Amino acid sequence: MHRRSFITRAGLVAAASTAATALAAPAIAQANPKITWRLTSSYPKSLDTLFGISTELSNRIAEITEGNFQIQVFAPGEIVPGLQALDAVQAGTVECAHTLSTFYVGKNPAFAFDTSLPFGLNTRQHNSWLFYGGGLELVNDFLKQYNVHAIPAGNTGAQMGGWYRKEIKSLDDLKGLKMRIAGVGGTIMSRLGVIPQQIAGGDIYASLEKGTIDAVEFSGPYDDEKLGFYKVAPYYYAPGWWEGTANVPLYVNLDKWNELPKHYQAAIEAVSTETLTRCVAKYDARNPDALYRLVANGAQLRTFPNDVLEAAFRESRAYYAEVAAQNADFKKFYDNWLPYWQKEQVWFRFAELPFDAMASQHAQVK
């Protein structure tokens, strides 16, 4: 009897174990589903930092999910042109994209806040506004109307003021200048007499070489060197007052984002923060050496005259007030952003500006 009872019990345990295993396997598979997404970038492969955040994201997500979540990366033109990345995400043509929100201010000027505004926040301040000042919540509330969810994923840091065929000695020299400049910076420049042109990164050099444009702004020394602007427009200006920072978001189709398991969402958020940090660090490491090389190759460094900077600042603030009075989306952002900007300037002037000024005074350039 004891033997029979033992065999019966053993059989029941074995059956239960087999059933548990059968139930557990689908549960594990369901928790870590195999998913493949497509990501389109607005940046050519030659820009290893800006395009690189896409490949880094893809590789890290695959590592974290043991290959179950794959994100295929495509350069501009392989699926859609670089300036149509937002449209592709919105329509579901691709699941996600790395792009610049300022490319889309023609749809709504409020897009500018995600990336930067002229005479706005610097990189650290902008990140603090996004993550702790309510900025990211405002961005994603705004983007719901486009069926898009945004995650900060990269940043160039402060940019340069661009390349010019001729020197800019006064405000009058801007009048009639044809310049590749995107976003609100282009709008402000137009109020100073410039004729702005929006051209994707891979097409700029040809336009400059042919004389279709007289000047171009793109990024900073590391990227600009790769694109070769110094060969046809030798005057390199600072500061890039329209982009004291340039946040590069990951735009994700909102429906696809909501379908993801929560831990896949967390993986994307974590990796995007990683690519953001590494992107800024890489630019800070590479830009100084690139600037030295550019000067050695004939680039002539200049700073914008004071009358240009003063006029640009006045026009930027006038423009913001005008748009806020007419555009509810812009006003919602601006009412949050402006007091945040003001507080950050007080802190910067008190704590950081004296430090930066003293450090610059004693820097040894060899």
Side-chain angles (χ1 to χ4, degrees):
M1 291 293 294
H2 290 297
R3 183 171 176 276
R4 241 184 239 134
S5 176
F6 173 78
I7 292 172
T8 302
R9 287 176 185 170
L12 289 171
V13 169
S17 176
T18 301
T21 302
L23 288 170
I28 291 171
Q30 187 176 7
N32 297 283
K34 290 189 176 297
I35 296 175
T36 300
W37 275 13
R38 300 198 298 176
L39 184 159
T40 186
S41 173
S42 288
Y43 304 101
K45 292 179 180 179
S46 60
L47 301 181
D48 61 289
T49 306
L50 284 176
F51 186 80
I53 62 174
S54 301
T55 56
E56 287 178 23
L57 177 82
S58 172
N59 293 337
R60 293 288 283 147
I61 290 295
E63 289 173 358
I64 289 170
T65 64
E66 298 183 335
N68 287 315
F69 189 6
Q70 297 283 337
I71 300 178
Q72 300 172 339
V73 177
F74 296 87
E78 292 180 341
I79 298 179
V80 294
L83 299 183
Q84 294 179 19
L86 170 69
D87 299 324
V89 173
Q90 182 181 1
T93 305
V94 295
E95 287 77 15
C96 55
H98 277 134
T99 188
L100 216 60
S101 72
T102 47
F103 290 154
Y104 311 107
V105 294
K107 297 176 182 290
N108 189 324
F111 268 101
F113 285 92
D114 192 7
T115 289
S116 67
L117 270 74
F119 295 104
L121 300 163
N122 66 24
T123 298
R124 283 171 48 199
Q125 293 166 349
H126 191 75
N127 285 339
S128 74
W129 176 68
L130 286 172
F131 288 112
Y132 294 102
L136 193 55
E137 288 85 351
L138 288 170
V139 167
N140 279 319
D141 184 60
F142 165 70
L143 287 175
K144 285 178 183 177
Q145 61 188 294
Y146 297 92
N147 196 36
V148 169
H149 179 77
I151 305 166
N155 201 306
T156 66
Q159 296 192 5
M160 290 288 284
W163 300 86
Y164 299 75
R165 291 178 178 275
K166 298 180 180 179
E167 286 190 79
I168 306 300
K169 297 180 179 179
S170 72
L171 192 57
D172 288 340
D173 291 329
L174 292 179
K175 291 179 170 54
L177 192 80
K178 292 176 292 184
M179 181 177 184
R180 184 275 180 189
I181 179 169
V184 177
T187 301
I188 304 305
M189 275 293 210
S190 71
R191 293 165 75 116
L192 302 180
V194 171
I195 304 170
Q197 311 285 319
Q198 184 153 290
I199 304 170
D203 301 322
I204 299 171
Y205 183 86
S207 298
L208 191 63
E209 186 179 37
K210 293 174 184 176
T212 307
I213 54 176
D214 307 306
V216 56
E217 68 81 29
F218 187 76
S219 181
Y222 185 61
D223 285 342
D224 290 356
E225 181 187 31
K226 292 176 182 297
L227 296 175
F229 302 138
Y230 64 93
K231 298 174 184 176
V232 286
Y235 298 103
Y236 199 22
Y237 274 82
W241 47 264
W242 46 84
E243 283 178 320
T245 186
N247 174 58
V248 183
L250 177 72
Y251 277 174
V252 183
N253 178 278
L254 185 57
D255 294 331
K256 292 296 183 180
W257 175 255
N258 290 332
E259 290 173 5
L260 277 183
K262 293 297 182 185
H263 59 296
Y264 280 16
Q265 291 181 351
I268 290 179
E269 290 171 338
V271 172
S272 293
T273 301
E274 179 181 305
T275 58
L276 168 60
T277 303
R278 292 177 66 87
C279 187
V280 175
K282 186 173 180 179
Y283 275 119
D284 284 343
R286 300 287 188 265
N287 276 330
D289 290 338
L291 186 62
Y292 280 109
R293 290 192 298 269
L294 287 167
V295 171
N297 283 320
Q300 299 186 46
L301 301 184
R302 298 289 188 272
T303 56
F304 285 118
N306 284 337
D307 65 339
V308 170
L309 295 175
E310 291 291 342
F313 185 87
R314 287 194 305 271
E315 290 297 335
S316 70
R317 266 40 190 183
Y319 172 77
Y320 302 155
E322 291 167 14
V323 178
Q326 302 169 2
N327 184 308
D329 291 326
F330 193 97
K331 185 178 188 303
K332 187 175 181 181
F333 274 107
Y334 196 54
D335 287 348
N336 171 279
W337 180 90
L338 182 59
Y340 197 89
W341 176 86
Q342 291 168 331
K343 289 190 299 183
E344 288 294 319
Q345 304 322 303
V346 171
W347 166 245
F348 177 80
R349 286 198 304 269
F350 181 73
E352 303 219 12
L353 189 60
F355 174 83
D356 290 345
M358 181 59 69
S360 296
Q361 182 180 342
H362 292 280
Q364 297 294 318
V365 180
K366 297 181 181 179

